[in-house]
């Protein structure tokens, strides 16, 4: 079940690298198996184009997933590509939301992934967040829970024409066949850290004035 919203996501879906072993790779003379396929996994700071996950967010990903190695994101699953999609679709009939990157921990269960997504938000913030969310003073509104994080920020940029700033929502959510395990407070801090890293990377890529009002590091204490 999605934690932040039920809207459909369009745009680029991050690629998953699958490694297959050719049949007949086991030797029959000495009973030893052939050399294993090379490790195609990557560290967290190399994910999603290499500028989306800070060192701090990389540690937070380990809290969330229990892993320190991940499947490669693919050439399209990057902040740069998502920012290009957002800016080209701004003020046009093009879709106003999409994917940034999908993150798969190495050797994770089928379908278990984190999704980082963006959405252009029109109009003021409405409604109260669900009780599970901690409200944090980042951007226009930031929410974090043990299975999701969200940051809305305002962006005034030459890449987004108009007299008023664009309002952008960055979400990080987990899709998993299992309920999240671990300390809820630590998980909430971890999601806040990861979504801040994505939001700041997007703000920098879009060249938002004052980085969209986002601080260089996440703010984890409640508003």
């Amino acid at each position: 079940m999605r934690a932040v919203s039920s809207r459909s996501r369009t745009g680029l879906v991050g690629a998953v690298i699958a490694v297959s072993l050719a049949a007949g790779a086991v030797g029959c003379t000495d009973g030893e198996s052939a050399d294993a396929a090379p490790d195609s996994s990557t560290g967290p700071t190399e994910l999603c184009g290499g500028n989306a996950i800070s060192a701090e967010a990389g540690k937070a990903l380990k809290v969330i997933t229990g892993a320190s190695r991940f499947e490669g994101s693919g050439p399209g699953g990057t902040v740069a590509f998502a920012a290009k999609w957002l800016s080209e679709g701004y003020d046009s009939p093009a879709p106003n939301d999409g994917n940034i990157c999908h993150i798969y921990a190495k050797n994770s269960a089928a379908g278990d992934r984190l999704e980082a997504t963006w959405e252009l938000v029109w109009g003021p913030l409405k409604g109260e967040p669900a009780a599970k969310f901690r409200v944090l003073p980042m951007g226009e509104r930031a929410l974090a829970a043990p299975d999701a994080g969200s940051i809305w920020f305002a962006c005034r940029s030459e890449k987004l024409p108009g007299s008023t700033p664009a309002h952008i929502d960055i979400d990080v959510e987990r899709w998993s066949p299992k309920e999240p395990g671990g300390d809820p407070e630590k998980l909430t801090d971890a999601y806040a850290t990861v979504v801040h890293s994505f939001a700041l990377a997007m703000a920098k890529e879009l060249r938002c004035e004052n980085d969209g009002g986002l601080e260089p590091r996440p703010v984890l204490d409640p508003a």
Side-chain angles (χ1 to χ4, degrees):
M1 178 178 295
R2 299 203 61 157
V4 173
S5 68
S6 61
R7 63 178 178 266
S8 62
R9 294 291 186 180
T10 58
L12 182 76
V13 177
V16 183
I17 298 179
V19 180
S20 57
L21 301 178
V26 178
C28 40
T29 54
D30 54 10
E32 295 182 358
S33 62
D35 292 340
D39 185 1
S40 63
S41 65
T42 186
T45 58
E46 300 169 52
L47 291 167
C48 309
N51 64 346
I53 307 294
S54 65
E56 194 171 12
K59 294 177 182 178
L61 279 179
K62 187 170 184 179
V63 173
I64 294 169
T65 66
S68 56
R69 302 294 294 177
F70 300 85
E71 300 295 342
S73 303
T78 68
V79 169
F81 193 97
K84 183 175 184 291
W85 182 274
L86 186 157
S87 60
E88 290 181 351
Y90 185 70
D91 200 26
S92 81
N96 62 359
D97 61 2
N99 290 287
I100 301 173
C101 180
H102 289 185
I103 297 174
Y104 296 80
K106 184 181 179 183
N107 299 324
S108 61
D112 191 345
R113 65 193 183 276
L114 265 68
E115 292 188 2
T117 56
W118 63 268
E119 182 183 18
L120 285 168
V121 181
W122 308 104
L125 292 168
K126 295 180 180 179
E128 293 296 321
K132 70 176 182 178
F133 287 105
R134 180 194 301 167
V135 181
L136 299 168
M138 295 189 286
E140 294 184 295
R141 185 177 74 175
L143 306 174
D147 59 357
S150 174
I151 291 181
W152 298 34
F153 66 92
C155 178
R156 190 183 298 275
S157 168
E158 61 184 12
K159 292 188 175 184
L160 305 174
S163 58
T164 59
H167 299 274
I168 300 169
D169 176 20
I170 303 296
D171 292 339
V172 173
E173 308 172 54
R174 187 170 186 177
W175 292 70
S176 176
K178 302 184 297 182
E179 290 296 318
D183 184 296
E185 288 297 313
K186 290 181 179 179
L187 285 167
T188 299
D189 285 349
Y191 274 98
T193 301
V194 173
V195 76
H196 170 270
S197 188
F198 273 104
L200 185 60
M202 180 67 91
K204 288 182 178 295
E205 189 68 35
L206 290 170
R207 300 177 189 170
C208 303
E209 289 183 7
N210 193 32
D211 291 336
L214 298 170
E215 298 292 336
R217 299 186 68 248
V219 180
L220 304 180
D221 293 329

